[in-house]
Amino acid sequence: MGNNRFDLLRLLAALAVFVAHGDFLYRLHLPVPFAGHSLGSLAVYVFFFISGYLVCQSWARGPVWRVFWIKRLARIFPGLLVAVVFSVAVVGWAVTTLPTAQYWSAPGTWLNLVNNAAGLATVQTLPGVFETNPFARTVNGSLWTIRYELAMYGLLAVLGWALRGRRWVYPVAAATLAGLWSIARMRGWDAALEAGGGWWADLFRWQDFCGFGVIFFVGSSLAAYEVRARWWMAAVAVLAAAGAWLAPTDALRQWAVWGLVSLGTFFAAYATVSANTHSGLGRIDLSYGVYIYAFPIQQAVTQWSLAQGWPLWACMAISLVLVLLVAWVSWTQVERPCIAWAQRYIRRV
C-alpha cells in the first residue's frame, strides 16, 4: 500500500470521536465545527474516506469474492464481537441496577448482544444500565456506523465484479450517491421511513448511506486512478473548510465537507511522508479499538465521575487511559492475530 499516514489519521479520527462523545456524555454538549456536522461526524467521514481508498486497493489486488470477504470480515468482526461481549458482560453487568440473575435473564440483554455482534447496532440499551446518565441508557452509540461500512464493502465488491475493474465505476458511484443524497433530502425520504416505523426505519437512513457512500467512493476513485498527493489539494481543502463555514445552505455545506475531508485527508496521508512510514502487521493500529470500546467506557466513567463530583477533564483523562489500554489489548490479542490468520488462510486456499 506504500508509505502513508493512514494509521495515524485513523487514530486521530477515533480520538476526535472520543473527544466529541466525552463532552456530550458528560454535559450534553456536542462540538460542532460546521452547522449540521459535529466533530464526531467529520471524524467518521475520515474513516469512510480511508476505508474506501484502502479497500479499493485490496479489491484490485485480489478481485475474488471469497478472498475479499475473508479479509473484510476478519478485520471487522473479531474485534467487534469481543467489544460487544465486553459491553454486555463487563460494563453492563458491572453497572446495572438490576440483580445479576434478573440482568442475565432479561431478553433485552441477549437481544443487545446478538444485535450488536451481528453488526446491526439498532439495539443500544441494556436493562438497568446508565439509566441516570445525562445521555441515558445508550451503551455503545458508536457501533451504528459499522453496518454502513459493511454495506460499502458489499457495494464496492458488486460494482467491481460486475464491471470487471473498470475504474470509472467509482467516481460514477460517488456522483450517483451525491445525487441521491440531495434527492433524499429534498423529498424527505428519511422522514417517510421514520414515520412508517418498523425495523427498516431503525436500520437505514438514506442520508447516512449516501453521505458515507460519497466519501467512501471518492476514496476508491483516488485509489483506482492512482492519484498522487499535490499541494493544490491542501489549498482546495482550506477553501472547502471556509466554504463549509460560510455556506448559506445545508446542501452546499455538505459538498464542502466532502471536499474538505477527502482532499484534506488524502494530502495529510501522503504529503512529505517518510520512507519509514508504512503499513503492516508489525505496526500498532489502535484506531478500531478506540472506536468500538470508547463509548461504553466513557459512559461508565461519566457515571462514576458525576457521582464523585469530578470535573469533565478528570473524566476524560481517566477514560482516555482506559480506552487506550483496552484498544492496545484488542489490537495485540484479537485484531492483529485474526488478520494474520486470515492472511495465512488465504495463502493456503
Side-chain angles (χ1 to χ4, degrees):
M1 288 186 287
N3 301 324
N4 58 67
R5 298 190 186 93
F6 283 129
D7 284 350
L8 173 61
L9 293 173
R10 282 189 295 206
L11 178 58
L12 292 175
L15 291 173
V17 174
F18 168 88
V19 170
H21 284 167
D23 196 6
F24 182 72
L25 296 178
Y26 187 90
R27 57 180 181 175
L28 297 180
H29 174 265
L30 196 63
V32 181
F34 309 116
H37 295 275
S38 70
L39 177 64
S41 67
L42 293 174
V44 172
Y45 274 151
V46 172
F47 282 129
F48 273 86
F49 172 81
I50 295 174
S51 180
Y53 186 85
L54 298 179
V55 171
C56 180
Q57 289 183 330
S58 178
W59 173 260
R61 287 193 300 270
V64 178
W65 278 84
R66 181 172 62 172
V67 171
F68 178 80
W69 281 109
I70 288 172
K71 291 179 180 178
R72 302 283 72 75
L73 298 181
R75 184 65 186 99
I76 294 293
F77 277 99
L80 176 63
L81 291 173
V82 177
V84 171
V85 171
F86 173 82
S87 296
V88 174
V90 178
V91 175
W93 172 72
V95 306
T96 184
T97 57
L98 300 181
T100 295
Q102 188 176 346
Y103 175 76
W104 286 113
S105 63
T109 302
W110 299 100
L111 180 60
N112 180 290
L113 180 66
V114 172
N115 179 274
N116 286 276
L120 302 177
T122 57
V123 178
Q124 291 293 327
T125 62
L126 284 168
V129 175
F130 302 138
E131 292 184 335
T132 61
N133 278 29
F135 188 61
R137 305 196 69 201
T138 300
V139 176
N140 198 334
S142 297
L143 300 185
W144 68 275
T145 62
I146 290 177
R147 62 180 181 262
Y148 291 105
E149 178 83 3
L150 294 169
M152 292 304 125
Y153 295 165
L155 184 56
L156 183 144
V158 167
L159 292 175
W161 172 80
L163 295 169
R164 297 297 188 270
R166 290 177 173 84
R167 296 183 297 178
W168 55 261
V169 69
Y170 302 116
V172 168
T176 301
L177 288 166
L180 285 173
W181 182 91
S182 298
I183 294 170
R185 181 177 175 277
M186 289 187 296
R187 298 190 177 181
W189 287 358
D190 288 333
L193 277 176
E194 189 171 352
W199 64 271
W200 184 248
D202 293 330
L203 188 67
F204 183 83
R205 289 289 185 276
W206 278 104
Q207 288 191 263
D208 290 331
F209 177 82
C210 295
F212 293 146
V214 169
I215 205 77
F216 182 92
F217 281 104
V218 169
S220 298
S221 300
L222 295 181
Y225 284 91
E226 299 180 351
V227 175
R228 294 186 178 183
R230 295 289 186 263
W231 286 100
W232 64 261
M233 295 178 178
V236 173
V238 171
L239 291 175
W245 181 264
L246 300 171
T249 67
D250 292 340
L252 289 175
R253 186 175 298 110
Q254 180 66 57
W255 281 85
V257 165
W258 283 329
L260 165 63
V261 172
S262 58
L263 292 179
T265 302
F266 188 69
F267 179 78
Y270 284 108
T272 64
V273 72
S274 167
N276 296 321
T277 306
H278 63 278
S279 299
L281 284 177
R283 74 192 198 275
I284 297 177
D285 182 5
L286 303 185
S287 58
Y288 188 52
V290 169
Y291 188 76
I292 60 179
Y293 281 98
F295 200 104
I297 291 175
Q298 287 178 282
Q299 277 281 54
V301 176
T302 295
Q303 178 176 291
W304 179 256
S305 297
L306 290 174
Q308 301 300 315
W310 293 342
L312 173 60
W313 69 263
C315 177
M316 294 281 283
I318 296 169
S319 298
L320 181 60
V321 171
L322 293 175
V323 168
L324 291 176
L325 175 62
V326 174
W328 179 80
V329 173
S330 177
W331 171 251
T332 58
Q333 304 303 313
V334 180
E335 298 167 54
R336 185 167 61 186
C338 289
I339 295 171
W341 172 86
Q343 291 178 350
R344 291 194 300 270
Y345 179 79
I346 290 169
R347 286 194 293 268
R348 292 198 303 266
V349 297

